[in-house]
């Protein structure tokens, strides 16, 4: 018999042995979102770069993006659809409404694929150039009625037990009048508050939870293991084109992605990593083609890092997609009605390449008296300017929009809106079990659960989100919701000398004052608590 075994080993091809080994290796999922990206900006980015994008190598299909009640979605509804497999209404984060006559009657939390991966035993992480509490990363990590509920989103993220968190949004971690704020450039128009209304200092909780807290690129470089929480900006990380000169201490999206992959992979447990190139959308809302292109290229560099990792680690599923379109950007405008067939590429690209900063970055340098208009317009690549165009910039209420408008005119570009658009978006994927063809944004969780060997998300919904009132009343408890501190709601159940308290947005309950850790966070929505049994 031993000779038979020896012969089998001698004549078994090495690739067969490796194939068996790969099945046993941990599985990884990298889910990447480029926020608010339509097809023309990808075309422009390719021409601007002068060669193929990393994304081009893994183009496999398209994605429908509409929301539950609208043909044009927002990031909250789109993120929730991709994360949970359920369509929802705009503004909602991780919640699914029940409708009657197209009106919302009630809402219920839905488990995200990140939460399911965590329960499966995988490590988890999020990376974003926006505040990490912004709509798309929030949809994968939290559950709130409004995308503007930054305090609740931040608290749930802190108590989710994520392994890697890299991005902006430090203001949502700190209480009012805290001086420990990073004063770095942020996007104009953000409505994030600069304090927590509940007075909690979540940085203290992050420290207690064993994270290495980093605030600069150099600090991130020094971290080689363990849990990491990177807060690199008050609000958002600077546009990639602006970052080297205006915020040099901040890391690029590509480096954050590479670092997160290395830290997660080193633990050999398998992981789910969410990555968002957030600010394509922010630039699109300002109709700034320079900002849009620079952020697409920033995202593409991050995809290149992820694709290299996936190629080196075959048990990795990589998905990259836009959550929706934005701005209706077109190559060609009213100026090219008759000349489009004779307009060479350089007439679109050369004006854009003159810009050294985005419209946001250039406008941030403008003095209050606007005495340095020439310098600002030069940074944005608009020199020389006609007297008429200069007058428009000097007198406008919104310098960014005027700069962008003049750049679009020079580059023969058109815009239809300052808001979102409803077109299907491109789908990019690589690895085993990848989605292909035209799919719906709610289809992503089914592909990922199948790859990870999870039967469905419904099982986890029943585990993570029970109606606290129904659960404890069935057990004979008297229950109430305590709103004495309206920023810190409590669910209280009492019976025969036992008092159980569930604080909103935390991952524990108190049984007669003793802390019992839970596998998920307690969610409070519309005067209703949703809790986990264990």
């Amino acid at each position: 018999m031993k000779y038979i075994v020896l012969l089998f080993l001698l004549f078994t091809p090495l690739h067969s042995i490796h194939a068996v080994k790969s099945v046993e290796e941990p599985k990884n999922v990298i889910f990447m979102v480029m926020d608010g990206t339509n097809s023309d900006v990808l075309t422009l980015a390719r021409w601007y770069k002068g060669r193929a994008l990393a994304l081009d190598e893994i183009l496999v299909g398209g994605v429908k993006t509409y929301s539950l009640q609208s043909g044009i979605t927002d990031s909250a509804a789109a993120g929730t659809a991709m994360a949970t497999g359920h369509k929802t209404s705009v503004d909602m984060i991780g919640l699914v409404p029940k409708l009657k006559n197209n009106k919302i009657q009630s809402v219920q939390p839905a488990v995200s694929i990140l939460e399911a991966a965590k329960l499966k035993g995988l490590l988890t992480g999020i990376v974003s150039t926006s505040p990490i509490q912004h709509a798309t990363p929030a949809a994968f990590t939290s559950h709130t009625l409004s995308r503007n509920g930054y305090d609740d989103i931040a608290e749930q993220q802190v108590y989710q037990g994520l392994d890697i968190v890299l991005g902006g949004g430090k203001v949502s971690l700190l209480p009012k009048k805290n001086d420990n704020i990073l004063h770095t450039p942020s996007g104009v128009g953000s409505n994030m508050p600069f304090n927590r209304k509940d007075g909690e200092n979540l940085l203290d909780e992050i420290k207690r939870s064993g994270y290495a807290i980093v605030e600069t690129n150099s600090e991130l470089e020094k971290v080689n293991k363990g849990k990491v929480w990177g807060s690199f900006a008050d609000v958002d990380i600077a546009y990639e084109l602006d970052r080297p000169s205006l915020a040099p201490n901040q890391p690029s999206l590509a480096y954050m992605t590479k670092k997160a992959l290395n830290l997660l992979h080193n633990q050999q447990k398998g992981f789910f990593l969410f990555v968002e190139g957030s600010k394509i959308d922010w630039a699109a809302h300002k109709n700034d083609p320079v900002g849009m292109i620079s952020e697409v290229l920033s995202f593409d560099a991050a995809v290149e890092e992820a694709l290299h990792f996936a190629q080196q680690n075959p048990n990795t599923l990589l998905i990259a997609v836009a959550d929706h379109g934005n701005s209706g950007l077109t190559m060609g405008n009213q100026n090219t009605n008759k000349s489009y067939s004779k307009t060479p590429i350089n007439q679109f690209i050369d004006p854009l390449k003159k810009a050294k900063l985005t419209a946001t970055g250039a406008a941030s340098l403008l003095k209050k008296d606007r005495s340095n208009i020439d310098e600002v317009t030069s940074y944005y690549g608009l020199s020389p300017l006609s007297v008429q165009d200069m007058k428009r910039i000097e007198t406008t209420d919104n310098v960014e929009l005027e700069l962008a408008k003049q750049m679009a005119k020079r580059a023969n570009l058109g815009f239809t809106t300052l808001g979102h658009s409803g077109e299907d978006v491109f789908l990019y994927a690589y690895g085993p079990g990848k989605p292909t063809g035209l799919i719906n944004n709610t289809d992503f969780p089914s592909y990922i659960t199948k790859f990870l060997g999870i039967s469905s998300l419904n099982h986890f919904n029943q585990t993570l989100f029970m109606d606290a009132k129904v659960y404890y009343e069935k057990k004979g408890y008297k229950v109430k919701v305590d709103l004495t501190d309206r920023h810190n709601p409590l669910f209280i159940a009492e019976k025969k000398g036992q008092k159980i308290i569930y604080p909103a947005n935390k991952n524990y309950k108190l049984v007669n004052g003793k802390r019992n850790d839970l596998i998920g966070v307690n969610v409070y929505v519309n005067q209703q608590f949703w809790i986990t049994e264990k």
Side-chain angles (χ1 to χ4, degrees):
M1 177 64 71
K2 65 182 180 180
Y3 296 110
I4 296 174
V5 173
L6 180 59
L7 286 170
F8 172 78
L9 291 173
L10 285 173
F11 290 99
T12 298
L14 287 176
H15 62 78
S16 297
I17 296 173
H18 292 160
V20 172
K21 181 181 178 182
S22 67
V23 172
E24 298 172 349
E25 291 176 353
K27 294 181 177 180
N28 313 307
V29 177
I30 310 170
F31 197 99
M32 308 184 73
V33 175
M34 44 183 167
D35 200 331
T37 307
N38 69 340
S39 60
D40 277 37
V41 70
L42 289 159
T43 304
L44 282 167
R46 188 183 300 110
W47 284 118
Y48 187 101
K49 183 179 179 180
R51 61 184 187 277
L53 302 174
L55 285 163
D56 295 339
E57 186 179 342
I58 56 173
L59 177 64
V60 294
V63 180
K64 302 173 186 178
T65 63
Y66 61 91
S67 71
L68 182 64
Q69 295 176 291
S70 174
I72 301 176
T73 189
D74 77 331
S75 292
T80 297
M82 293 187 292
T84 71
H86 294 280
K87 294 284 186 182
T88 193
S89 301
V90 294
D91 285 341
M92 287 191 182
I93 297 291
L95 298 175
V96 180
K98 293 182 180 178
L99 302 180
K100 185 176 182 179
N101 298 325
N102 206 36
K103 293 184 178 180
I104 297 173
Q105 300 297 304
S106 61
V107 295
Q108 181 168 348
V111 68
S112 75
I113 188 62
L114 181 146
E115 290 170 319
K118 185 173 180 291
L119 292 175
K120 176 76 173 176
L122 276 68
L123 303 175
T124 55
I126 56 173
V127 174
S128 178
T129 50
S130 72
I132 58 166
Q133 304 86 11
H134 222 247
T136 319
F140 282 77
T141 55
S142 51
H143 309 271
T144 61
L145 202 57
S146 170
R147 59 183 290 170
N148 295 321
Y150 299 114
D151 283 12
D152 291 333
I153 292 167
E155 192 169 19
Q156 289 185 35
Q157 287 176 333
V158 168
Y159 284 92
Q160 276 281 13
L162 302 166
D163 297 280
I164 304 293
V165 179
L166 304 175
K170 186 178 181 183
V171 293
S172 292
L173 302 175
L174 295 170
K176 189 175 181 179
K177 296 182 180 179
N178 192 296
D179 294 328
N180 191 21
I181 292 287
L182 296 171
H183 297 285
T184 51
S186 62
V188 174
S190 172
N191 60 350
M192 291 191 72
F194 274 74
N195 61 80
R196 291 189 57 79
K197 290 185 280 298
D198 62 9
E200 294 189 41
N201 187 327
L202 293 181
L203 275 183
D204 289 343
E205 178 60 30
I206 292 170
K207 292 174 184 175
R208 282 193 294 267
S209 298
Y211 288 90
I213 299 177
V214 295
E215 298 182 352
T216 66
N217 189 47
S218 59
E219 289 177 355
L220 180 60
E221 288 175 349
K222 295 175 184 176
V223 178
N224 295 314
K225 62 181 179 179
K227 296 164 63 175
V228 182
W229 195 292
S231 283
F232 303 107
D234 305 356
V235 184
D236 54 298
I237 289 175
Y239 289 100
E240 183 58 25
L241 188 62
D242 302 338
R243 188 181 57 80
S245 56
L246 300 184
N249 289 328
Q250 295 177 350
S252 68
L253 180 63
Y255 182 70
M256 288 192 292
T257 301
K258 181 179 180 180
K259 190 69 173 183
L261 290 171
N262 288 339
L263 290 169
L264 292 169
H265 180 58
N266 285 344
Q267 298 189 52
Q268 293 296 313
K269 293 181 179 179
F271 61 80
F272 181 98
L273 176 65
F274 170 86
V275 177
E276 184 187 39
S278 319
K279 296 187 62 175
I280 307 167
D281 180 78
W282 293 40
H285 278 300
K286 300 167 186 177
N287 284 183
D288 175 12
V290 174
M292 294 169 71
I293 289 169
S294 72
E295 290 305 292
V296 166
L297 294 177
S298 168
F299 181 82
D300 194 60
V303 169
E304 189 171 5
E305 293 289 352
L307 182 57
H308 176 72
F309 178 91
Q311 289 168 339
Q312 298 297 313
N313 298 275
N315 268 20
T316 301
L317 172 61
L318 167 62
I319 296 172
V321 66
D323 56 349
H324 54 75
N326 192 336
S327 80
L329 170 65
T330 57
M331 285 184 65
N333 57 18
Q334 295 298 321
N335 295 339
T336 62
N337 282 345
K338 296 180 179 180
S339 64
Y340 65 85
S341 62
K342 300 178 182 179
T343 306
I345 290 299
N346 69 288
Q347 291 188 22
F348 297 99
I349 300 302
D350 287 355
L352 301 170
K353 286 196 169 184
K354 290 182 180 180
K356 301 179 182 67
L357 296 173
T358 68
T360 298
S364 72
L365 301 176
L366 186 64
K367 296 179 181 178
K368 287 185 178 181
D369 62 2
R370 301 196 176 186
S371 60
N372 64 333
I373 282 283
D374 285 338
E375 179 186 15
V376 169
T377 55
S378 178
Y379 273 121
Y380 194 59
L382 292 178
S383 296
L385 279 171
S386 67
V387 174
Q388 189 177 23
D389 285 341
M390 179 68 81
K391 188 70 174 177
R392 288 195 182 98
I393 297 174
E394 287 175 340
T395 58
T396 183
D397 292 332
N398 193 320
V399 173
E400 288 182 70
L401 285 181
E402 183 58 36
L403 291 172
K405 182 179 179 180
Q406 293 196 28
M407 177 60 77
K409 182 179 178 181
R410 291 190 179 202
N412 300 297
L413 304 178
F415 289 93
T416 63
T417 177
L418 290 169
H420 294 177
S421 50
E423 73 270 26
D424 297 342
V425 296
F426 289 132
L427 169 64
Y428 306 89
Y430 176 88
K434 68 184 180 186
T436 60
L438 180 62
I439 67 171
N440 210 312
N441 58 6
T442 53
D443 294 331
F444 287 116
S446 63
Y447 283 96
I448 296 171
T449 53
K450 185 176 181 181
F451 169 68
L452 293 178
I454 298 171
S455 57
S456 73
L457 294 187
N458 290 333
H459 167 72
F460 293 117
N461 274 323
Q462 296 167 7
T463 302
L464 279 186
F465 302 119
M466 299 185 306
D467 185 321
K469 183 175 183 293
V470 172
Y471 178 77
Y472 276 100
E473 283 186 340
K474 282 184 177 179
K475 292 178 173 290
Y477 285 80
K478 291 183 179 181
V479 303
K480 67 177 180 179
V481 174
D482 185 344
L483 297 176
T484 304
D485 180 351
R486 64 189 181 91
H487 298 303
N488 291 289
L490 303 172
F491 175 82
I492 301 175
E494 295 181 274
K495 183 178 73 170
K496 296 180 180 179
Q498 186 180 57
K499 186 175 184 179
I500 304 174
I501 300 176
Y502 288 83
N505 304 322
K506 304 289 199 297
N507 64 345
Y508 62 83
K509 63 182 178 181
L510 299 171
V511 181
N512 291 338
K514 183 179 180 180
R515 174 169 168 161
N516 283 239
D517 290 335
L518 304 170
I519 60 173
V521 293
N522 308 317
V523 176
Y524 175 69
V525 180
N526 276 356
Q527 300 175 348
Q528 186 174 7
F529 263 87
W530 301 88
I531 61 171
T532 176
E533 182 179 7
K534 296 182 180 179

